Amino acid sequence: MFCKNCGRELKDDAKFCDNCGAKVVFKHANNDDDENEKPECDGKVTIAFVLGISSLAVWTLPVIGLPISIIGLVLGVKSNKVKLHTAAIILNIIGLVLSISLCFAGSFWGYLSYKSIL
Ligand SMILES: [Zn+2]
């Protein structure tokens, strides 16, 4: 979102513009009454979903797949409960499980070949 006063890009949780100091007005500003707000698609769930897909794409490289799926899972859990929410969490869990099992398989395989050298 952007500052209505000066147009500068703002952080999602910003209360005041850090450029001009204007108070940030949310689209649905209802006196901080969060209870009646409809969940709306935020950036987090999209990122979580993309990370989930990425973690499935790179799970064969646990060094990359593990952090991606963990970040994606955290973002997915924190995000609003929109359609993508569940899909993002499931994708990241699958990516995480695949990466972890590959880690174990890899270390077990390494252990076996190490033993056979001795
Ligand atoms: Zn501003």
Side-chain angles (χ1 to χ4, degrees), residues 57-88:
V58 298
W59 68 273
T60 47
L61 297 166
V63 181
I64 306 168
L66 264 183
I68 286 183
S69 50
I70 290 172
I71 295 168
L73 191 59
V74 172
L75 281 177
V77 169
K78 281 184 175 175
S79 65
N80 290 335
K81 289 178 177 54
V82 290
K83 255 186 201 170
L84 273 180
H85 176 85
T86 317

Side-chain angles (χ1 to χ4, degrees), residues 3-8 10 17-22:
C3 173
K4 287 204 168 127
N5 191 43
C6 68
R8 189 190 177 97
L10 301 164
C17 172
D18 56 11
N19 187 47
C20 68

